[in-house]
Amino acid sequence: MSIFTGSGVALVTPMNEKGEVDFNVLEALIEDQIAGGTDAFIICGTTGEAPTLDDEEHLETIRRSIEIIKGRVPVIAGTGSNNTAHAVMMTEEAEKMGADAVLLVTPYYNKTTQDGLYAHYRAIADTTKLPCILYNVPSRTGTNLLPATMARLAADVENIQAIKEASGNISQVAELAATEAFQKGCFDIYSGNDDQIIPICSLGGIGVISVLANVAPRQTHDIVALYLEGKCREACELQLKAFELCKALFCEVNPIPVKAALQMQGFAVGDPRLPLVPMTEAGKERLRAAMKDFGVL
């Protein structure tokens, strides 16, 4: 069974004026997302600034999110690392807290070979009963999880059940969808790029893990829902209408723009932690215009 179908929001981690995680704002964000039709939450991923959260903050953010969501939709905890042992520890803790699944990014900086990726992911998955979503984002990690490696993992390891595909390479996604493992239903594909939801769904994907959903939960949900209902023209129209906003949300390094966008919508999410800095005025102007055009401001 799929972990979720539709729009999973890669939720920001709100910070107060002291730069601490603000759990009151976190609750407000979660309730707004649920009211907007979001189908799943990804907590402490890249958009949630996981690289600058210490372990205590990271795990407490996951725990509090699970408590707030109360089983209404799945909670997917970001527990990946370039240190396999650390990823194992974080995954075990997320399982104890009641997470529904984990998101595991490919090892960054130290990187590895395809055999190393297989060994890394198998070592994590073998220590948990939770479903694992592998996260392929070569632009950030410098490592590309190739289709053959993903297919091998999904065929060999029962709880490796999905991939967040953010390579941006539609030909690679097509190659992934053509694998025997995918054709046999061993794993699901989620778009990791908001501007490619429809193309990836057309290749057999069942949803998106989304930055856009932070500011447009209903519309992001609807893009997937309309497509899967067979209303392809309507889904395409909504995807294209969102195109400029998708670009604006990445005109500076994520999550700089999405935090600025949420502030424009009245959510006190604070600034990103260093080394990320607040959005430039020129970026804010572009973002504000795109949000108004899309009807979310």
Side-chain angles (χ1 to χ4, degrees):
M1 186 173 70
S2 298
I3 299 164
F4 76 94
T5 299
S7 171
V9 62
L11 197 69
V12 305
T13 300
M15 310 287 184
N16 61 24
E17 292 180 356
K18 295 180 181 180
E20 301 163 337
V21 178
D22 192 323
F23 294 108
N24 290 327
V25 177
L26 178 68
E27 182 169 6
L29 290 172
I30 287 172
E31 293 301 338
D32 183 72
Q33 287 290 321
I34 289 176
T38 286
D39 300 291
F41 286 85
I42 293 77
I43 305 297
C44 296
T46 305
T47 308
E49 298 182 77
T52 58
L53 298 174
D54 64 36
D55 287 353
E56 184 178 350
E57 292 175 311
H58 191 142
L59 293 170
E60 182 65 6
T61 302
I62 292 169
R63 187 184 71 79
R64 294 287 285 272
S65 298
I66 292 168
E67 286 181 352
I68 295 163
I69 293 164
K70 296 176 183 174
R72 288 176 285 178
V73 295
V75 177
I76 299 153
T79 59
S81 173
N82 63 341
N83 176 342
T84 305
H86 188 253
V88 166
M89 182 275 291
M90 295 294 281
T91 298
E92 289 175 339
E93 291 301 314
E95 182 172 8
K96 291 175 189 175
M97 291 174 183
D100 296 292
V102 290
L103 180 71
L104 303 168
V105 70
T106 54
Y108 41 86
Y109 188 70
N110 49 358
K111 307 195 295 184
T112 188
T113 62
Q114 294 300 305
D115 284 343
L117 288 173
Y118 181 91
H120 169 79
Y121 280 128
R122 180 143 203 175
I124 301 167
D126 283 349
T127 66
T128 182
K129 294 179 181 178
L130 290 179
C132 300
I133 304 175
L134 310 192
Y135 179 17
N136 189 39
V137 57
S139 65
R140 282 189 178 264
T141 65
T143 303
N144 190 12
L145 178 61
L146 296 178
T149 306
M150 177 62 202
R152 180 184 169 206
L153 280 161
D156 291 352
V157 187
E158 186 177 2
N159 60 330
I160 292 180
Q161 294 183 7
I163 184 170
K164 176 186 177 183
E165 234 304 332
S167 67
N169 185 341
I170 292 298
S171 293
Q172 179 165 312
V173 180
E175 183 180 349
L176 184 65
T179 61
E180 183 178 2
F182 181 76
Q183 293 296 317
K184 286 183 174 180
C186 295
F187 68 98
D188 292 318
I189 301 173
Y190 298 105
S191 175
N193 294 316
D194 287 310
D195 59 354
Q196 294 183 339
I197 301 171
I198 296 302
I200 288 178
C201 283
S202 75
L203 290 167
I206 61 168
V208 61
I209 293 177
S210 172
V211 175
L212 175 66
N214 279 277
V215 295
R218 177 59 61 187
Q219 294 91 332
T220 311
H221 164 88
D222 286 351
I223 291 171
V224 180
L226 287 167
Y227 187 86
L228 296 181
E229 289 169 9
K231 298 176 181 177
C232 300
R233 183 179 297 276
E234 294 95 325
C236 248
E237 287 174 353
L238 191 52
Q239 169 85 89
L240 294 174
K241 187 178 179 183
F243 188 67
E244 288 302 321
L245 179 53
C246 291
K247 289 200 297 181
L249 285 169
F250 286 87
C251 70
E252 296 180 22
V253 176
N254 179 53
I256 292 171
V258 71
K259 277 202 149 179
L262 284 164
Q263 288 173 349
M264 292 175 195
Q265 289 183 326
F267 292 101
V269 296
D271 293 327
R273 284 180 173 174
L274 289 171
L276 302 183
V277 294
M279 197 173 196
T280 63
E281 289 304 316
K284 287 179 182 178
E285 184 176 345
R286 175 181 178 180
L287 180 60
R288 188 176 290 108
M291 291 173 70
K292 286 180 178 177
D293 286 346
F294 194 57
V296 293
L297 187 63

